[in-house]
Amino acid sequence: MILLRSHIGSALRASRVLQGRTLRDVAKSARVSLGYLSEVERGQKEASSELLLAICNALDISLSEILNNVAITVRISEAPALKVVEDAA
Amino acid sequence: MILLRSHIGSALRASRVLQGRTLRDVAKSARVSLGYLSEVERGQKEASSELLLAICNALDISLSEILNNVAITVRISEAPALKVVEDAA
């Protein structure tokens, strides 16, 4: 099952890691708890739209950038060719 | 404030209306309550990732299609030129 929160979490984590920043730093900047941000990044919690925006602002990336990245990874997950590979594994 | 749930709701509603389908029909097909779907479409409720997928399936559109549409409308909302127009209104 392709879950949006997993893809959003991965995109947020990728942006943070790319910037060499810690969970603590970004959580503080976004005014969310470290545990919350960690759960969102791991796709274990749905980020509310407000907090997603706060996290994007803390990462200095636009929501549309994250969504573009997410749309691409979701599209790849949906691709039948990849499903065949997954099924064969 | 650019809220993801509002953009997702609008994209889902646009897809449904384009197909000439009723809230009742899509809600039944997605196995969600009519009230829930209506709130999601109006951006008043965050759809969980599981129910968002169920609604996409009910509409016979992929999650990535919805996300592509959402990324575009969010990008337009973020554009400074449009903000100037909004501010002037």
Side-chain angles (χ1 to χ4, degrees), chain A residues 28-59:
Chain A
K28 189 181 172 191
S29 175
R31 297 187 182 188
V32 300
S33 78
L34 190 151
Y36 178 88
L37 181 58
S38 174
E39 284 190 299
V40 166
E41 281 195 355
R42 285 179 284 132
Q44 291 177 349
K45 196 184 273 292
E46 307 272 356
S48 74
S49 295
E50 287 82 357
L51 292 185
L52 176 59
L53 204 61
I55 296 167
C56 285
N57 287 341
L59 289 166

Side-chain angles (χ1 to χ4, degrees), chain A residues 1-8 46-50 52-53 62-65 67-68 70-72 74-75 78, chain B residues 1-8 46-50 52-53 62-65 67-68 70-72 74-75 78:
Chain A
M1 188 186 273
I2 300 165
L3 296 177
L4 179 59
R5 64 173 173 274
S6 303
H7 288 266
I8 287 179
E46 307 272 356
S48 74
S49 295
E50 287 82 357
L52 176 59
L53 204 61
S62 63
L63 179 58
S64 62
E65 281 177 86
L67 290 173
N68 277 326
V70 166
I72 291 168
V74 168
R75 180 73 195 86
E78 290 168 350
Chain B
M1 188 185 273
I2 299 165
L3 295 176
L4 179 58
R5 65 174 173 273
S6 302
H7 288 266
I8 287 178
E46 307 272 355
S48 75
S49 295
E50 287 82 357
L52 176 59
L53 205 60
S62 63
L63 179 58
S64 62
E65 281 177 85
L67 290 174
N68 277 326
V70 167
I72 291 167
V74 167
R75 182 72 195 88
E78 290 168 349

Side-chain angles (χ1 to χ4, degrees), chain B residues 4-13 23 32-48 51-52 55:
Chain B
L4 179 58
R5 65 174 173 273
S6 302
H7 288 266
I8 287 178
S10 297
L12 292 174
R13 177 177 292 243
L23 270 172
V32 300
S33 76
L34 190 151
Y36 178 88
L37 180 58
S38 174
E39 285 190 298
V40 166
E41 281 195 356
R42 285 179 283 132
Q44 291 178 349
K45 196 184 272 294
E46 307 272 355
S48 75
L51 292 185
L52 176 59
I55 296 166

